[in-house]
């Protein structure tokens, strides 16, 4: 019977990297958005409103995507821990 091997540390690290990347994206987007809003202070009228609205929509979309990536990273870390626990439980059985 085939035996499957999982490098739990590597899988967990991948999940952690996804979470870190998601946080980095959120930080960068918020910094970028703040900079744009500061630059728009001198603008007036419809152009300012349009650009600001579009910027806010893009920020919200990107943050939502980053939150999804973070949730994926958390899922991977949790799955790795659960699989490792079951693997250790099965290894302890005398079959």
């Amino acid at each position: 019977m085939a035996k499957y091997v999982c490098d739990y540390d590597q899988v967990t690290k991948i999940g952690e990297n996804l979470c870190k990347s998601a946080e980095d994206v959120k930080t960068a987007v918020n910094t970028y958005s703040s900079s744009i809003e500061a630059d728009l202070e001198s603008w007036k009228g419809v152009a300012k409103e349009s650009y600001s609205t579009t910027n806010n929509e893009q920020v919200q979309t990107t943050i939502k995507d980053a939150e999804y990536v973070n949730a994926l990273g958390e899922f991977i870390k949790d799955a790795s821990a659960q699989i490792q626990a079951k693997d250790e439980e099965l290894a302890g059985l005398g079959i």
Side-chain angles (χ1 to χ4, degrees), residues 58-72:
Q58 291 298 316
V59 167
Q60 293 306 313
T61 298
T62 305
I63 288 178
K64 184 178 175 184
D65 290 345
E67 288 170 352
Y68 178 82
V69 170
N70 186 65
L72 176 61

Side-chain angles (χ1 to χ4, degrees), residues 86-95:
K86 289 298 178 189
D87 192 31
E88 290 169 357
E89 182 181 329
L90 288 172
L93 295 176
I95 300 177

Side-chain angles (χ1 to χ4, degrees), residues 10-61:
Q10 186 67 24
V11 174
T12 300
K13 184 174 175 116
I14 290 168
E16 290 170 351
N17 287 342
L18 281 171
C19 291
K20 183 179 180 325
S21 294
E23 191 58 38
D24 290 348
V25 166
K26 289 191 324 189
T27 300
V29 165
N30 285 327
T31 300
Y32 173 74
S33 179
S34 295
S35 177
I36 287 176
E37 290 298 325
D39 290 343
L40 290 176
E41 286 297 318
S42 63
W43 288 28
K44 303 232 185 288
V46 177
K48 178 181 180 176
E49 292 173 20
S50 178
Y51 199 90
S52 185
T53 299
T54 301
N55 178 57
N56 289 333
E57 289 170 357
Q58 291 298 316
V59 167
Q60 293 306 313
T61 298

